[in-house]
Amino acid sequence: MPKASDNIKIYRNPNGPVVSTVNRRVLEQDGLTFKDIDGTGTLSPVNDWRNSPAERAAAYVKTLSVKEKIAQLFISDWRMAKYPITGPMADLYKDIEKKTDETGILDEGEFRGKTIFGEQYLPGTSLLLKDWFNRHVILRANATPADLADWMNQADAVCEECEHFIPVAAASNSRNENGELVFGMNDAGGVLATWPGTLGIAAAVKGNNIDLVDKFADTIRREWNACGLRKGYMYMADAVTDPRWQRTYGTFGEDPALISEIMAHIIPRIQGSDHGVTEDGVAVTTKHFPGGGARENGFDPHYAAGQWNVYATPGSLETYHLPPFAAAVKAGTSSIMPYYSKPAAAKSAVQHDLAGNTVEMKPYGFAYNKYFIDTMLRGQMGFDGYINSDTGIAHNMAWGVEMLDVPERIGFAVTNAGVDIISGLFDNEAGMEAYNRGKNGYYETHPLPEGFAKEELTLTDEALDRAVARTLTELFALGMFENPYRDPDEAARIVATPSDWEAAADAHRRSVVLLKNDGTLPLTADKRANKKIYAEAFLKNAKHAADSTAALRKELADTCILVDDPAQADFALLFVSPSSGEYFNATPGYLELDICEDKTVCNVDANGKPMADTHTETTLHGGKRLAEIAASVHANGGKVITNVNITLAWQLGNVEPLCDVLLAGFDTYRSATLDVIFGCFAPTGKLPLTLPRGDAVLAVNADGVCISPNDVPGYDKDRYMPDSLKDENGKAYAYRDAAGNYYEYGFGLEG
């Protein structure tokens, strides 16, 4: 079956860009080849690649129609017919009409329905590109490299049929880390070279391996570029300060200095230079400004209880949350994504921006907050890229502007705050309505929302041109107008590069943190000769646990003597992978960090305060059996070796005392952990965040205030903890094991 790449014509310019096209007219002048992008048939400023990307973009916005420009303001979910959406969101998309073209890759189906982001109408691909003229999509399909490249080629070929050519800008959440696939966070994985989770990368880097970040970023740039993916919603510059934040696992931990160092390395390497994107680079969207870690007791802003960022500690914003974003700006990040939430003035202490000014705490979500975006991010930090909102701000997560209708929210975000792309829905009609209201006298017959000016709520020509020019500038700088096409076979070859997978495997081993060892490790072949081993995996889901246990035992079968009864074992290998909460749904209480089964905990009311009512929480199916297994093994004179997968800052009080050896992984390959256990690799990883002692240091009083401040990272929380909780060393927050070691940021034994 033919691929779009079979029809691509390629022209090579001496000392200039490659020009590729399927059916677009090309222009010849001075021995050089140019693409007729704007359809004029002339070597206009838009078509002349010798002009700067900014110059070409500024010229193009004068050519495009208002309808075409408004379509550039929106980005939303997209899919590939060959790769249906799976997981928790699958039911929402189950009724997509199954019409496809002959390749089975370019989706021509339609979807109408309600998602967490709002009421969706997703047309077929050709309709979206040719009639609607939208060009920004979030590609969530976990496709093969060849299929990704071919899909992008087909989509761009459709775009070439339009009067004005703009290539498809397919954004994606990160795809190069291991872990559970979660819609809206990490939609794809396991296809590209697969590294540990970002917490694991931070654990490895903290062990003096910053060059690992360079290899990671280089791999991403080459693989994504080969597949035609040129825009990444990655990575998070957020510092974890409240440990109950669901998105902890996608961060680089709690230390703003380490996060800043990672930003300084990862962004230029992915984008191709230290001054922005290049023709072989991938544009980076750094998230979530000004830092999502300052959660009020962990509540997530996908639901109403989490709509506030609380800065209860004086100076916390400038000390812990802003520096990584300043580093990202300095590193040239192409785009920044503000968080859903809004600052809570009534619950916050005085904060200062990076210029030393008192921060204005207007209660608007950060994508609507002109002070944070225009004054702080652009004016003080010098950010000159574009602003890409988080998904759903104009509909279900419009915190602080609920009194506005959707067109007004669009106008307020773009014209007033300076947002350049709104994520979540293809709201072209609402965007046009926001534009027309500024010209048709709408507010002469309709009431103006109190506290807002007409000029803030309508989409002006100046704001529209500014937003579109910024995103077009990125596409020109990436070389996507001249050469958007990629070879699917080459994509497959590049992703299969052995050295990239070897570097990823090395990172997995380096991510393992050894927390406790009584001398049992390394459990070398001679130590386990003729010894019996009991092995079991524990997860929140019983079936997944059984499947994982079977896979673990199969992995060990050739090198270990396995037994089914822990009472017969000389060693028990326990892999513990707890899970807590749901990303898109509020829990009845606070997110549970205890590794527990059927634990009774309090409910919370609509204001986030604890109630007398209770419910039970389980973060680990079969968790109560851990003590039984440990007792049986110890009664036999054996040793218990446990690995805990750290996706949140788990409380280890129900696990550590049972173990002779304790390790931590971060969506780390089990084979890498076994390499450390069996002495094939000496552990070097360090904790990227502090593990809390227990419920006492996360207690929330009747007023909803946590005893440990939500806006301060774990390594600094002791400064604000009551003396009654502190031990003889003045420490209260971090977990302390039987050997006297504190499981705080930067800790890790070496062997």
Side-chain angles (χ1 to χ4, degrees):
M1 193 167 291
K3 299 178 181 178
S5 55
D6 296 338
N7 301 316
I8 297 171
K9 297 178 285 291
I10 297 175
Y11 305 85
R12 303 188 185 279
N13 285 294
N15 301 315
V18 171
V19 173
S20 61
T21 180
V22 171
N23 53 34
R24 201 75 182 174
R25 177 169 45 189
V26 295
L27 310 170
E28 303 284 345
Q29 185 169 316
D30 302 326
L32 303 174
T33 303
F34 305 85
K35 184 183 290 186
D36 186 11
I37 294 165
D38 59 10
T40 61
T42 67
L43 190 56
S44 64
V46 175
N47 297 335
D48 192 343
W49 45 256
R50 293 170 296 189
N51 294 324
S52 72
E55 290 171 333
R56 300 175 77 184
Y60 210 6
V61 295
K62 296 176 183 177
T63 302
L64 298 171
S65 69
V66 170
K67 177 185 175 182
E68 289 171 328
K69 287 186 283 193
I70 285 176
Q72 308 314 302
L73 294 180
F74 303 105
I75 187 169
S76 192
D77 306 334
W78 210 247
R79 68 273 183 216
M80 294 167 62
K82 191 174 180 179
Y83 297 93
I85 291 171
T86 59
M89 298 294 280
D91 285 347
L92 297 176
Y93 290 94
K94 68 180 185 304
D95 295 326
I96 289 178
E97 187 180 357
K98 301 298 183 183
K99 288 183 180 178
T100 65
D101 72 356
E102 64 178 10
T103 67
I105 295 175
L106 193 62
D107 179 24
E108 296 297 337
E110 293 188 353
F111 167 77
R112 295 177 188 269
K114 187 174 183 180
T115 74
I116 185 174
F117 305 125
E119 200 72 36
Q120 287 259 35
Y121 168 41
L122 301 178
T125 302
S126 293
L127 181 62
L128 179 83
L129 300 178
K130 296 181 74 172
D131 292 13
W132 293 20
F133 207 73
N134 290 84
R135 290 296 183 270
H136 298 276
V137 299
I138 307 172
L139 195 58
R140 303 197 184 276
N142 197 20
T144 67
D147 281 349
L148 282 171
D150 195 38
W151 189 91
M152 292 300 304
N153 287 346
Q154 293 185 65
D156 283 322
V158 171
C159 294
E160 284 194 355
E161 298 173 12
C162 299
E163 178 185 2
H164 299 135
F165 172 63
I166 297 176
V168 174
S172 172
N173 286 304
S174 58
R175 290 172 175 256
N176 288 81
E177 300 91 61
N178 188 41
E180 180 184 4
L181 300 187
V182 179
F183 184 94
M185 293 175 68
N186 53 323
D187 310 290
V191 173
L192 307 184
T194 306
W195 295 57
T198 49
L199 284 174
I201 292 171
V205 169
K206 186 61 180 173
N208 298 314
N209 288 286
I210 192 62
D211 62 318
L212 179 147
V213 174
D214 296 336
K215 295 177 182 177
F216 178 57
D218 286 341
T219 301
I220 291 169
R221 184 187 69 254
R222 287 184 285 100
E223 291 189 338
W224 285 50
N225 184 23
C227 294
L229 291 175
R230 308 298 300 282
K231 182 177 182 177
Y233 279 169
M234 55 194 185
Y235 278 91
M236 293 171 65
D238 313 72
V240 176
T241 53
D242 191 291
R244 291 159 294 197
W245 185 30
Q246 185 82 47
R247 300 210 64 168
T248 294
Y249 83 90
T251 72
F252 291 106
E254 70 182 25
D255 180 18
L258 179 64
I259 300 168
S260 297
E261 184 180 17
I262 291 173
M263 292 295 115
H265 282 256
I266 205 169
I267 292 171
R269 291 280 187 152
I270 293 177
Q271 295 194 156
S273 79
D274 58 5
H275 54 271
V277 298
T278 62
E279 291 181 5
D280 63 351
V282 173
V284 169
T285 298
T286 305
K287 51 191 186 180
H288 307 84
F289 184 79
R295 304 280 75 241
E296 184 176 22
N297 301 325
F299 297 127
D300 193 280
H302 282 98
Y303 44 87
Q307 65 187 282
W308 302 101
N309 263 27
V310 176
Y311 304 103
T313 310
S316 64
L317 178 64
E318 61 183 304
T319 302
Y320 306 116
H321 299 280
L322 292 180
F325 290 94
V329 171
K330 185 177 180 181
T333 188
S334 188
S335 175
I336 286 180
M337 180 180 289
Y339 209 27
Y340 295 112
S341 48
K342 59 188 179 184
K347 299 180 180 181
S348 296
V350 173
Q351 302 295 323
H352 295 93
D353 56 34
L354 294 180
N357 304 311
T358 300
V359 173
E360 293 180 12
M361 294 282 188
K362 289 188 176 181
Y364 299 137
F366 290 117
Y368 296 104
N369 205 306
K370 184 174 183 178
Y371 181 85
F372 276 82
I373 290 177
D374 198 50
T375 300
M376 290 174 59
L377 184 56
R378 292 200 182 278
Q380 296 174 1
M381 294 185 186
F383 177 63
D384 61 1
Y386 67 88
I387 301 295
N388 191 136
S389 88
D390 214 333
T391 300
I393 66 149
H395 292 263
N396 289 5
M397 281 73 78
W399 309 128
V401 295
E402 294 94 334
M403 73 291 294
L404 305 179
D405 64 18
V406 172
E408 288 169 335
R409 293 171 189 173
I410 291 169
F412 193 58
V414 177
T415 299
N416 180 70
V419 171
D420 302 299
I421 294 183
I422 295 177
S423 179
L425 298 172
F426 293 117
D427 271 323
N428 296 14
E429 291 184 6
M432 184 62 75
E433 175 66 16
Y435 178 83
N436 289 334
R437 285 181 183 181
K439 301 181 181 299
N440 63 11
Y442 175 85
Y443 288 108
E444 295 174 9
T445 57
H446 294 77
L448 190 66
E450 185 177 354
F452 296 90
K454 167 190 167 183
E455 294 75 19
E456 294 177 319
L457 301 181
T458 56
L459 186 57
T460 66
D461 285 292
E462 179 184 10
L464 179 59
D465 286 358
R466 177 217 73 223
V468 177
R470 284 176 178 160
T471 54
L472 289 178
T473 297
E474 178 185 85
L475 298 181
F476 278 117
L478 287 167
M480 292 177 64
F481 279 92
E482 269 67 49
N483 186 27
Y485 298 104
R486 295 295 182 264
D487 181 346
D489 294 332
E490 180 69 7
R493 284 194 297 271
I494 287 176
V495 171
T497 301
S499 60
D500 291 336
W501 290 86
E502 290 164 6
D506 181 63
H508 279 273
R509 289 187 288 268
R510 293 182 184 278
S511 73
V512 178
V513 179
L514 180 59
L515 296 173
K516 179 181 180 181
N517 184 18
D518 69 346
T520 298
L521 296 194
L523 190 60
T524 55
D526 60 324
K527 283 187 180 179
R528 62 180 191 274
N530 301 317
K531 301 294 185 181
K532 298 175 181 177
I533 291 179
Y534 177 82
E536 186 171 357
F538 292 82
L539 291 89
K540 185 174 182 177
N541 180 285
K543 182 181 184 307
H544 294 168
D547 293 343
S548 186
T549 295
L552 170 62
R553 291 176 63 86
K554 183 177 180 180
E555 195 168 356
L556 297 171
D558 291 339
T559 57
C560 300
I561 302 171
L562 298 176
V563 294
D564 295 327
D565 183 359
Q568 300 175 0
D570 299 293
F571 300 102
L573 298 184
L574 308 179
F575 282 78
V576 173
S577 300
S579 179
S580 188
E582 294 182 28
Y583 181 46
F584 291 118
N585 295 291
T587 55
Y590 305 111
L591 192 75
E592 185 58 52
L593 295 181
D594 200 7
I595 299 177
C596 61
E597 186 175 27
D598 297 328
K599 178 182 178 180
T600 300
V601 296
C602 71
N603 294 353
V604 297
D605 64 19
N607 296 312
K609 298 178 181 180
M611 301 170 62
D613 296 342
T614 62
H615 67 282
T616 60
E617 286 283 354
T618 291
T619 59
L620 193 74
H621 175 76
K624 293 178 180 178
R625 292 183 50 245
L626 293 174
E628 299 172 8
I629 292 170
S632 296
V633 173
H634 287 147
N636 193 45
K639 301 287 187 178
V640 176
I641 302 168
T642 302
N643 179 83
V644 178
N645 188 43
I646 304 293
T647 53
L648 292 166
W650 301 116
Q651 299 168 200
L652 299 181
N654 291 332
V655 177
E656 180 273 327
L658 310 175
C659 306
D660 304 288
V661 175
L662 183 62
L663 307 101
F666 309 86
D667 287 320
T668 301
Y669 280 158
R670 188 162 55 206
S671 60
T673 303
L674 291 174
D675 281 348
V676 171
I677 291 172
F678 293 153
C680 303
F681 188 87
T684 59
K686 307 295 180 185
L687 283 177
L689 74 175
T690 302
L691 304 184
R693 188 175 85 190
D695 290 343
V697 298
L698 298 176
V700 178
N701 67 19
D703 295 322
V705 178
C706 186
I707 197 168
S708 56
N710 305 136
D711 55 334
V712 174
Y715 68 82
D716 247 2
K717 286 189 190 289
D718 284 339
R719 295 174 56 190
Y720 307 96
M721 300 294 286
D723 290 340
S724 60
L725 288 177
K726 295 180 179 178
D727 63 15
E728 71 277 13
N729 297 316
K731 293 179 178 289
Y733 183 74
Y735 183 83
R736 188 182 190 182
D737 70 12
N741 292 314
Y742 297 95
Y743 293 175
E744 55 195 354
Y745 171 73
F747 174 73
L749 302 174
E750 297 188 9

